[in-house]
Amino acid sequence: MKMKIYYCGKQACEKGHFFGPAVRTQYLIHFVMKGKGIYKTEYGHYEVHEGEAFLIRPEERTYYKADSEDPWSYAWVAFNGEEAAALVSRYYPDIHHPVCAIGEMDVFHYFEKLLGSFGNVAENRERVLGYFYLIVSCLTRSASAVDRSPVGEEGYYRKACAFIRHNYSYQIQIRDVAGYVGIDRTYLYRIFMNQTGESPKQYLSQYRLSEAKEMLYNTEYQITEIAYSCGYHDSSAFCRHFQKEMGMTPAEYRRMRKHKMKNDEE
């Protein structure tokens, strides 16, 4: 199973309340709502405060204890599966740093939803997983994880191209690409001109056109179906653009390619 949620809960701890030393068989993340405490692993001793979350890894011997003056309240979720290690590595890439900041305090609203759905996992599996991913998304990626992400002009370019590849079939705008990358449109324009010699709008248009040509050649879909599949709002707009770029209509292009393929086979 790619991801499975084993249990979840929340607790307002009494002063000095502790657990362990103990070993768990799944990943476990505690999100501290208020207060503070200490967390110990074989790799170190950590103070954890409100607005932070600490990770327990499978088969790792751990101990944690609420502060004697300001005990913590926390919510937790236990999980494992094929995707678990990769997910954890995005927020906790260093085994010596098992504490991560919580970037959005909406996380505890999502926990309430998760707890309400967890009672019947068989019926609510997708909902449970949905709330789980929302909870994890509220964590702030650690500096070392961010450092390994693509940065600079080339990194922004690759990220923008990936967004276009995965979303060209929708009616996306260049502002959507820039927003996803996290830069303004002017900078995005400059990056594409440096990398390709064409604007982001031209790149998106040419990518849609190349995908449409592939579909015309390799499928029997109708022209209207291909137009919508490639992000055009209607078939007439698609046909006008196609003829302007290719010097022929989509139907003519399809016949030409089919004829060429037949001749090549002979």
Side-chain angles (χ1 to χ4, degrees):
M1 184 174 293
K2 291 186 177 181
M3 188 69 71
K4 181 175 181 180
I5 312 305
Y6 288 90
Y7 54 91
C8 54
K10 63 178 182 177
Q11 183 176 1
C13 297
E14 296 181 359
K15 296 178 179 179
H17 172 79
F18 68 90
F19 186 88
V23 175
R24 305 301 183 94
T25 57
Q26 300 96 22
Y27 289 98
L28 190 67
I29 303 179
H30 285 70
F31 293 75
V32 180
M33 294 180 278
K34 62 181 180 178
K36 59 185 178 180
I38 60 169
Y39 176 48
K40 296 181 180 180
T41 75
E42 59 187 286
Y43 302 101
H45 179 172
Y46 313 90
E47 290 188 2
V48 188
H49 301 81
E50 176 182 342
E52 295 180 322
F54 62 93
L55 170 71
I56 298 174
R57 299 176 187 271
E59 311 305 327
E60 184 176 50
R61 189 168 182 264
T62 61
Y63 170 88
Y64 46 100
K65 180 180 179 180
D67 187 74
S68 58
E69 298 296 330
D70 186 17
W72 53 20
S73 297
Y74 49 51
W76 67 85
V77 58
F79 60 96
N80 214 333
E82 297 172 14
E83 297 180 348
L87 179 67
V88 165
S89 68
R90 294 184 61 196
Y91 301 94
Y92 301 92
D94 188 344
I95 199 168
H96 295 89
H97 295 88
V99 181
C100 182
I102 302 171
E104 297 181 36
M105 298 308 284
D106 283 347
V107 64
F108 300 111
H109 168 72
Y110 299 141
F111 258 110
E112 293 298 330
K113 296 291 188 180
L114 174 64
L115 291 169
S117 301
F118 193 75
N120 194 337
V121 180
E123 293 183 4
N124 297 320
R125 181 176 181 276
E126 289 77 14
R127 183 175 298 177
V128 166
L129 286 174
Y131 287 131
F132 167 74
Y133 284 114
L134 284 171
I135 287 168
V136 174
S137 74
C138 291
L139 294 171
T140 300
R141 292 182 64 180
S142 69
S144 54
V146 173
D147 289 344
R148 292 206 301 268
S149 299
V151 293
E153 182 173 298
E154 185 176 349
Y156 289 138
Y157 171 71
R158 293 201 305 270
K159 190 173 182 180
C161 290
F163 180 82
I164 289 172
R165 285 198 307 272
H166 295 302
N167 294 278
Y168 73 92
S169 61
Y170 303 103
Q171 293 182 36
I172 59 172
Q173 305 293 324
I174 299 307
R175 64 174 176 269
D176 301 316
V177 183
Y180 175 78
V181 176
I183 58 178
D184 62 54
R185 292 178 60 181
T186 302
Y187 185 29
L188 184 69
Y189 175 87
R190 188 161 67 248
I191 288 173
F192 268 79
M193 292 302 295
N194 290 341
Q195 295 286 330
T196 68
E198 60 184 4
S199 69
K201 185 175 181 179
Q202 290 171 324
Y203 180 93
L204 173 60
S205 178
Q206 289 301 313
Y207 192 88
R208 283 173 167 158
L209 184 66
S210 66
E211 292 297 314
K213 287 160 62 178
E214 285 294 317
M215 292 184 73
L216 286 166
Y217 182 48
N218 293 312
T219 76
E220 298 300 326
Y221 292 129
Q222 296 180 7
I223 303 299
T224 299
E225 294 173 321
I226 292 174
Y228 284 119
S229 298
C230 293
Y232 296 90
H233 56 82
D234 59 50
S235 59
S236 60
F238 167 61
C239 291
R240 287 195 302 271
H241 177 70
F242 193 97
Q243 186 162 17
K244 179 181 177 181
E245 294 294 322
M246 301 300 299
M248 65 184 78
T249 67
E252 290 170 340
Y253 178 84
R254 171 174 271 171
R255 287 195 296 269
M256 181 269 294
R257 291 300 303 267
K258 297 288 186 183
H259 181 71
K260 182 178 184 301
M261 182 174 64
K262 183 179 179 180
N263 288 341
D264 290 342
E265 290 175 350
E266 294 175 351

